Amino acid sequence: MEKPIYLKNPDDAKLFNELRKRVNQRVEALPRNRDVYIQIKAIILPLVYFGLYVFALLNADRPWVYISSFVLMGISLVLIYLNLIHEAAHNNIFKSKKLNSLILKIFDLVGANSYIWKKRHIASHHAYPNVDGWDTDIEQSGILLIVPWIKAKGIQKFQHFFFFLVYPLYLFNWMFIRDFRDFFDNERVILKTQGKIPVSEKIKMISFKLFYFFYQIAIPVLFFKISLGLALGAWFLQVIAASIFALFVLLPLHPLPDNAFPKLDEKNGLPFSWIRHQLEVTNDLKENNWFVRNVLGNFNFHVAHHLFPNYSYMYYNEITEEIEQFARENNLSYKRFPIFNALGKHVDLLKQNANNAYFILEE
């Protein structure tokens, strides 16, 4: 398939070059040891996750301790994603690509698949955010409709009434459906745009999935006398907790009515230049405190990540200051919302799409 083409605008190219120069100068003036903190997390966070697992097994005779440990594993799983997996995919933790790749493999141990996720994230989401048919993060599931200019059908017309029942199942869908479809369904965006997947990666995907369920459920039942019901229940609550926490952080950043969902023209062209596209389809969150910066991996500074993914999140506070000032000076779109306002806006998007508001406005 022919890839989408960003609008070529020499003035916008000059703007980005100027912004990049400012950002590079700002970062070069900062202490160069900030990435050490992420490298420390690369040791601590996986130890926390698997430490909670061991703690749960050692307390197999205390059901509520076992369940609580698994729920905390779900929270730590999301922290591993935000702080490590996401940064490793961009080679932002270590200078060595091999070490970053090793960190990325943690994803295979926690029920996901590092190979297909990196393709989704780098070659799809970062390349064409919010572009239907190219951004896997907004690929339509059939149940919920995210893209405003696709007409709602069937159950999608009621999505604003039941979405809160679907979202807690987010990671179940990822583990049991999304990964498999991306590997084997030729109609999925990733296979249409990225080509064939090596057989070895398919074998790895299935093998790691089996290993994941073996240590999550089979080991507690077979070797620690946990009842099957308790093992399944604790694992289920772990994934529910992880799903809710993950979407709480991720949903407020792209799928909002304030952000564009650009349509391709007949020549596969996009309506914006690259820099304007990133600004039109992405927003930041106003929250900026120690917890957000050090625990949530600065996902509140998402515009900085899309414009400068080669810098780790440890620099996004200062980079965002430069972006916000530059946007004001050059009349560029820059959006920042409080997190609960942004979550409310996402619900508004679901409601508007359910009611086919885009088509009503067009008419």
Side-chain angles (χ1 to χ4, degrees), residues 92-154:
N92 285 341
I93 300 179
F94 299 102
K95 291 182 179 178
S96 166
K97 287 188 177 182
K98 288 185 178 179
L99 285 177
N100 286 309
S101 180
L102 184 63
I103 295 297
L104 196 59
K105 298 299 181 192
I106 296 172
F107 225 24
D108 298 306
L109 297 175
V110 295
N113 180 265
S114 60
Y115 173 84
I116 205 70
W117 180 80
K118 185 173 181 178
K119 279 190 170 292
R120 287 184 199 134
H121 188 68
I122 303 295
S124 176
H125 175 64
H126 266 270
Y128 310 105
N130 274 21
V131 179
D132 182 53
W134 292 88
D135 182 0
T136 56
D137 281 12
I138 61 167
E139 192 164 16
Q140 301 307 305
S141 66
I143 298 177
L144 298 178
L145 177 63
I146 300 298
V147 180
W149 47 266
I150 296 177
K151 199 157 191 175
K153 298 178 181 178

Side-chain angles (χ1 to χ4, degrees), residues 333-347:
S333 173
Y334 174 79
K335 303 175 291 291
R336 176 181 277 186
F337 310 113
I339 187 168
F340 289 105
N341 284 13
L343 288 168
K345 287 174 177 290
H346 176 72
V347 176

Side-chain angles (χ1 to χ4, degrees), residues 26 72 126 163-164 184 189 205 221-222 227 265 277 298 305 307 309 315 345 350-351:
R26 181 71 180 271
L72 290 174
H126 266 270
F163 72 93
F164 63 91
F184 299 106
V189 167
M205 187 268 287
V221 171
L222 296 175
S227 70
D265 62 24
H277 183 99
N298 264 338
H305 175 62
L307 289 175
Y315 302 96
K345 287 174 177 290
L350 295 179
K351 187 182 299 184

Side-chain angles (χ1 to χ4, degrees), residues 130-354:
N130 274 21
V131 179
D132 182 53
W134 292 88
D135 182 0
T136 56
D137 281 12
I138 61 167
E139 192 164 16
Q140 301 307 305
S141 66
I143 298 177
L144 298 178
L145 177 63
I146 300 298
V147 180
W149 47 266
I150 296 177
K151 199 157 191 175
K153 298 178 181 178
I155 197 171
Q156 293 171 345
K157 295 179 180 179
F158 308 97
Q159 62 184 16
H160 50 304
F161 295 120
F162 66 79
F163 72 93
F164 63 91
L165 299 174
V166 176
Y167 280 163
L169 305 177
Y170 171 64
L171 291 183
F172 291 102
N173 177 67
W174 191 329
M175 292 176 183
F176 291 107
I177 300 174
R178 187 182 182 188
D179 280 346
F180 286 94
R181 289 191 67 190
D182 281 350
F183 267 89
F184 299 106
D185 185 347
N186 290 326
E187 294 304 311
R188 297 288 282 181
V189 167
I190 202 69
L191 285 181
K192 288 194 295 184
T193 60
Q194 299 301 312
K196 292 184 178 180
I197 296 171
V199 173
S200 61
E201 291 297 337
K202 296 178 180 179
I203 294 172
K204 284 181 189 176
M205 187 268 287
I206 294 171
S207 299
F208 273 109
K209 295 273 189 189
L210 291 173
F211 175 71
Y212 169 76
F213 290 110
F214 175 73
Y215 83 78
Q216 289 275 336
I217 297 170
I219 285 181
V221 171
L222 296 175
F223 301 103
F224 290 86
K225 307 303 180 184
I226 296 289
S227 70
L228 181 60
L230 178 57
L232 288 172
W235 170 77
F236 182 82
L237 290 174
Q238 175 193 162
V239 182
I240 289 285
S243 298
I244 294 172
F245 185 25
L247 289 179
F248 186 81
V249 177
L250 300 175
L251 280 177
L253 303 173
H254 288 290
L256 305 184
D258 306 74
N259 292 334
F261 292 81
K263 294 177 72 171
L264 296 169
D265 62 24
E266 62 278 1
K267 295 182 179 179
N268 232 32
L270 287 162
F272 305 115
S273 64
W274 183 84
I275 182 175
R276 290 185 186 273
H277 183 99
Q278 309 307 317
L279 291 165
E280 291 289 345
V281 304
T282 314
N283 63 273
D284 281 346
L285 300 177
K286 284 192 175 180
E287 284 70 22
N288 182 10
N289 50 51
W290 182 92
F291 181 81
V292 169
R293 291 195 300 272
N294 294 281
V295 177
L296 299 185
N298 264 338
F299 259 67
N300 57 321
F301 294 142
H302 209 59
V303 173
H305 175 62
H306 271 266
L307 289 175
F308 301 98
N310 55 311
Y311 284 118
S312 81
Y313 65 78
M314 296 303 296
Y315 302 96
Y316 285 164
N317 190 18
E318 290 83 1
I319 290 175
T320 297
E321 289 178 1
E322 295 295 329
I323 292 171
E324 191 169 10
Q325 181 179 341
F326 189 82
R328 283 197 302 268
E329 293 172 1
N330 294 278
N331 198 28
L332 295 171
S333 173
Y334 174 79
K335 303 175 291 291
R336 176 181 277 186
F337 310 113
I339 187 168
F340 289 105
N341 284 13
L343 288 168
K345 287 174 177 290
H346 176 72
V347 176
D348 290 341
L349 177 71
L350 295 179
K351 187 182 299 184
Q352 291 171 22
N353 292 352

